[in-house]
Amino acid sequence: MMKVGILCAPGMEECEGLIVYDLLFRAGIEVKLIGLEKEITSSHNLTFKTDLLIDEFDGKEYDCVVLPGGLPGTKNLEADTRVQNIIDEFVKEDKYIAAICAAPSILNHKGLLKDEKFTCFPGWECELKSSGQKAVKEGKIITGKGLGATFEFAYEIIKALDSEEKAQSVLKTIQY
């Protein structure tokens, strides 16, 4: 069974994490909320519990890591050396990394994005040119434009980890 960790930081856009969690769960993918803190308060003041603290996270057990956007969540993720180490580990191990909204900027600062081979929230391109699409998969990097693209973003993750048929089935089940 595939396993995904969603990295949760204070100030994250909760729907970019929790909707992705729900859709991956529906696809039969094991998914865990990995918190910089045990309880996360989102950018919209919603507080929720995570499954594991980041110090308990063992990347060897996971096939994909997801970085939700939101502010100041994106900046909190990027400033955390443990998150940086996880990204480096996933790149080295050729595992999937998915980032949405402002979070692709974290990957760009690490030199992992190429012109028009990614998407992000407008204004977070960091000197690159975004494809402008709702979701893009390029190699082992999956990016999403923002909250309105969460379903397409999750679709790309499910398709990469399982199959296009499974991804289509999940979206059909939720009446997308």
Side-chain angles (χ1 to χ4, degrees), residues 20-113:
V20 170
Y21 179 103
D22 180 89
L23 296 172
L24 298 179
F25 178 85
R26 290 170 188 264
I29 295 170
E30 185 177 349
V31 58
K32 298 287 182 190
L33 298 175
I34 313 300
L36 300 189
E37 300 170 1
K38 190 62 180 164
E39 287 190 354
I40 298 294
T41 300
S42 74
S43 60
H44 298 114
N45 222 19
L46 173 73
T47 300
F48 61 92
K49 292 182 182 179
T50 59
D51 298 308
L52 294 172
L53 284 169
I54 194 166
D55 291 327
E56 302 168 316
F57 178 79
D58 182 357
K60 292 176 186 71
E61 298 177 7
Y62 290 79
D63 303 288
C64 176
V65 68
V66 176
L67 288 74
L71 289 175
T74 295
K75 292 182 183 213
N76 289 335
L77 282 175
E78 185 163 25
D80 194 291
T81 56
R82 298 166 299 182
V83 172
Q84 293 291 336
N85 292 338
I86 289 167
I87 294 168
D88 292 343
E89 175 187 347
F90 274 62
V91 168
K92 182 180 172 192
E93 297 296 323
D94 197 32
K95 293 182 176 187
Y96 286 100
I97 302 169
I100 188 168
C101 193
S105 66
I106 299 168
L107 305 181
N108 186 47
H109 294 149
K110 295 179 85 56
L112 300 174
L113 301 182

Side-chain angles (χ1 to χ4, degrees), residues 115-152:
D115 272 335
E116 299 190 28
K117 303 288 186 180
F118 77 101
T119 193
C120 67
F121 193 84
W124 286 87
E125 295 86 351
C126 308
E127 310 304 318
L128 290 181
K129 184 176 181 191
S130 166
S131 72
Q133 295 174 267
K134 288 191 173 197
V136 175
K137 179 185 168 295
E138 174 66 18
K140 295 292 178 103
I141 304 285
I142 300 168
T143 53
K145 193 169 188 177
L147 175 58
T150 305
F151 294 94
E152 290 84 354

